[in-house]
Amino acid sequence: MAVTTVTLESTRLTSRAAAEAYLGGVCFKIGPPELVGAELEWLTYRADADCREPNRPALTAFAAALGPHAPTSVDPAALGLPLTHGSLVSIEPGGQIEISSLPCPDPDELCRRLCADARQLRDLLDAQEIRVVAAAADPARRAARILQLPRYRTMERHFTAIGPLGVLMMCNTAATQVSVDAGADPADVAARWHLLHAVGPALLAAFACSPDLSGAPDGAWSSQRMRTWLHLDPARTAAPIDANGYARWALDVPLLCIRRTDSAEWTAPAGATFADWLDGGLDDVVDRRPTRADLDYHLTTLFPPVRATGHLEVRYIDAQPGDGWSVPIHAVASLTSTSCVADEARGIAADTAGAWLEAARHGLADPDLRVAATDLLALAAAHAPSPGAADQLGAAAHRCRRRRTPIEEAA
């Protein structure tokens, strides 16, 4: 088994207070909220495979197709160059492919760049008979991990000990993620953080389109993808809706793993938190105290509906059929565009805030969520920056009012 080489940064953290102060600067970058970005994911399959259970492409096929754009996860010697319009390509554990945009001040321009990079990506993959599918959950294939990195071996082992949904999330789901700036000052950060949580269940319901997921336990869900996230490990998926509590929460989440310089197996003592490691509680089993780089890595193992990564990363939206991913991008950008719009959005969402399970299970069939989703999208349309964005959002509001999912509307 190959050993992964890891270089460990040496700036040690000296106390919990120092770690929380560091997290405050790393997780929430203060500045004028001007930019929006997005990450788009697709399922992939081999075009020459049996259509009843199409095979996952091999890493060598991805490397050959992507060439200089391939990430190091598929080829350690890869250059990882961005696509023509700036998006970086990454591969998820089950062979899902993702493009991550550059941040952009104009949502319309962001969508144009993403469209162009998505076309370029499809052309590159076509040359190796790799096809992309705009679906949030795989309805046919068994979960199978193609990435063999220590991180993903540890994740699969950890989540499997909890239940069957973790490996399904890792290998058989795809999302549309939208990112916005954290805020102009601490009060603005707190308000934007709260807003994105408050509108979350209604937007989840509005864009839920993954009713079928191969291998999922019995039960009808509008978003099987979000079902996996809500159940795979609640300790690391349920962040506080108070931004001021994010740093404390992050330190108290159990460690997923501790990176090793000399081993392909990354583990952590069961139930031990980053705070335990920081305070010396793991000195008998771990040969070093944590550094800033260790804390940075720990943050990447946290998966709340909204994640603080300097900017605010909205993670609760299913991958959309076709090019429908532009609609949630415009929705999030519009609802966060001004404090007045944000205040109105919070009022609309007040009665459904926190209804994550109901939104994932029932979607637009829940009358309260349907009304909130419709009204939020109508509000976003009224404050959209362009006629095109307003038309998309207005059509989405009309779709929600008629209780139609994105899949039904696209059919």
Side-chain angles (χ1 to χ4, degrees):
M1 181 180 293
V3 173
T4 301
T5 301
V6 178
T7 301
L8 299 178
E9 184 263 348
S10 59
T11 305
R12 280 185 53 184
L13 294 164
T14 56
S15 67
R16 180 177 182 122
E20 289 191 13
Y22 175 72
L23 286 175
V26 167
C27 295
F28 301 101
K29 300 289 187 183
I30 299 297
E34 299 173 342
L35 302 175
V36 60
E39 299 176 14
L40 309 179
E41 295 176 351
W42 295 271
L43 305 178
T44 62
Y45 68 94
R46 284 176 39 201
D48 60 347
D50 184 337
C51 65
R52 291 171 300 178
E53 190 173 334
N55 292 330
R56 298 168 197 270
L59 293 181
T60 52
F62 281 121
L66 296 171
H69 309 291
T72 56
S73 60
V74 302
D75 179 1
L79 297 176
L81 298 180
L83 298 170
T84 301
H85 292 271
S87 299
L88 292 173
V89 181
S90 59
I91 304 296
E92 296 298 310
Q96 310 96 310
I97 198 161
E98 174 184 284
I99 58 174
S100 303
S101 77
L102 289 172
C104 187
D106 178 7
D108 284 310
E109 179 61 23
L110 171 65
C111 291
R112 284 191 288 271
R113 293 178 186 178
L114 282 168
C115 274
D117 281 345
R119 285 195 299 270
Q120 181 183 1
L121 179 68
R122 286 192 293 268
D123 290 343
L124 291 171
L125 296 176
D126 280 347
Q128 290 292 320
E129 296 190 310
I130 299 173
R131 301 291 183 263
V132 298
V133 180
D138 193 324
R141 293 180 297 188
R142 296 182 296 272
R145 180 168 53 85
I146 67 169
L147 289 182
Q148 301 303 316
L149 301 177
R151 170 188 176 92
Y152 297 119
R153 281 199 296 273
T154 300
M155 285 178 67
E156 182 173 354
R157 184 168 58 246
H158 173 83
F159 292 144
T160 299
I162 297 172
L165 293 172
V167 68
L168 292 174
M169 175 280 294
M170 291 174 63
C171 301
N172 280 22
T173 66
T176 297
Q177 297 179 15
V178 186
S179 295
V180 294
D181 284 327
D185 54 49
D188 191 30
V189 168
R192 288 165 69 83
W193 176 260
H194 183 266
L195 167 69
L196 292 174
H197 284 83
V199 303
L203 292 185
L204 165 58
F207 297 108
C209 57
S210 53
D212 299 313
L213 175 60
S214 178
D218 291 341
W221 290 72
S222 292
S223 176
Q224 292 278 7
R225 183 198 69 87
M226 195 61 185
R227 177 194 190 184
T228 68
W229 283 109
L230 292 171
H231 289 95
L232 64 88
D233 185 358
R236 74 185 60 252
T237 61
I241 60 171
D242 177 5
N244 293 326
Y246 194 84
R248 294 191 299 275
W249 169 76
L251 293 178
D252 290 331
V253 174
L255 290 160
L256 181 70
C257 60
I258 295 174
R259 298 172 301 152
R260 310 288 181 178
T261 59
D262 58 353
S263 173
E265 297 301 323
W266 296 357
T267 60
T273 67
F274 196 94
D276 292 334
W277 188 16
L278 180 66
D279 293 339
L282 306 185
D283 285 354
D284 290 343
V285 290
V286 181
D287 60 2
R288 61 184 179 85
R289 293 285 181 90
T291 66
R292 289 182 177 180
D294 290 313
L295 184 49
D296 290 341
Y297 190 85
H298 177 63
L299 292 175
T300 72
T301 70
L302 310 181
F303 307 112
V306 182
R307 186 161 66 180
T309 60
H311 53 267
L312 306 182
E313 182 182 86
V314 173
R315 301 172 53 84
Y316 46 70
I317 297 171
D318 280 0
Q320 298 294 289
D323 292 335
W325 45 261
S326 62
V327 184
I329 290 175
H330 284 302
V332 173
S334 185
L335 294 175
T336 58
S337 59
T338 71
S339 59
C340 290
V341 175
D343 288 344
E344 189 170 349
R346 274 190 291 269
I348 291 170
D351 290 341
T352 57
W356 295 104
L357 280 171
E358 294 86 347
R361 184 186 293 274
H362 302 297
L364 295 172
D366 182 293
D368 292 334
L369 287 162
R370 183 167 65 252
V371 169
T374 301
D375 291 349
L376 284 171
L377 291 171
L379 174 66
H383 296 276
S386 69
D391 288 345
Q392 288 185 34
L393 291 164
H398 183 57
R399 168 182 63 75
C400 291
R401 186 176 294 111
R402 292 179 293 123
R403 194 176 154 179
R404 289 175 63 83
T405 70
I407 295 174
E408 291 169 335
E409 198 75 354

